[in-house]
Amino acid sequence: DNHYLGGTIMPGFHLMKEAMALKTANLNRPIGRVYPFPTTTANALASGMMDAVCGSVLLMHARLREKVGAGKPVDLIITGGGAPKVVQALPVSFVLDNTVKIVDNLVIYGLLNWIQQQ
C-alpha cells in the first residue's frame, strides 16, 4: 500500500569477509563454498556468511508476518547480485511455503514508482 515500514541494514558478503580477514587471526584467506556442515575453514567462512544473511531474511520475514496477521501472505522479494545464491541457501521448506521472487533492479522500480506518484 506504498507505506514504508522500515528495515534493517546489515553487512554484505564482502564487508563480512573483509572484517573476518582483518579482525580475526588466520582468516585472511579465500572463502570456499556453502555447505550445511562445513569441515574446512574456507567453507566455514562462506557458510557462516550465508547463514548470517539468510538468518536476517528469515527473521525480518517472521516479523512482517507477525505484523500483518495470521493467514495473510507475506511475499519475499530479494534483489542484488547475490540474490540467487541467497535464495538457493534458504531452507527448502521456507521456499516451498512462501512466495520468493528475485527482482533485478528493484531500487530503480521503486524510484520510478515514487516519481510517478509525484
Side-chain angles (χ1 to χ4, degrees):
D1 63 0
N2 294 314
H3 178 74
Y4 177 66
L5 295 176
T8 61
I9 298 173
M10 68 169 294
F13 295 109
H14 297 293
L15 183 57
M16 283 191 267
K17 167 68 171 93
E18 183 179 307
M20 295 294 283
L22 293 175
K23 301 293 184 180
T24 308
N26 299 319
L27 290 184
N28 189 10
R29 59 184 70 203
I31 62 169
R33 294 181 55 210
V34 174
Y35 289 97
F37 301 97
T39 58
T40 67
T41 301
N43 292 340
L45 278 169
S47 300
M49 291 174 1
M50 185 61 78
D51 284 355
V53 171
C54 288
S56 180
V57 168
L58 293 172
L59 183 57
M60 185 56 79
H61 185 269
R63 287 177 185 153
L64 186 56
R65 199 175 194 111
E66 186 176 305
K67 181 170 182 57
V68 301
K72 293 184 180 177
V74 175
D75 296 346
L76 174 62
I77 301 170
I78 189 166
T79 190
K85 288 183 180 182
V86 172
V87 171
Q88 183 179 7
L90 289 168
V92 173
S93 60
F94 177 85
V95 175
L96 292 174
D97 292 344
N98 295 281
T99 301
V100 179
K101 299 175 187 175
I102 297 172
V103 179
D104 293 327
N105 303 312
L106 186 59
V107 172
I108 300 300
Y109 290 122
L111 289 171
L112 288 172
N113 184 45
W114 179 76
I115 289 170
Q116 289 172 353
Q117 291 179 13
Q118 298 304 313

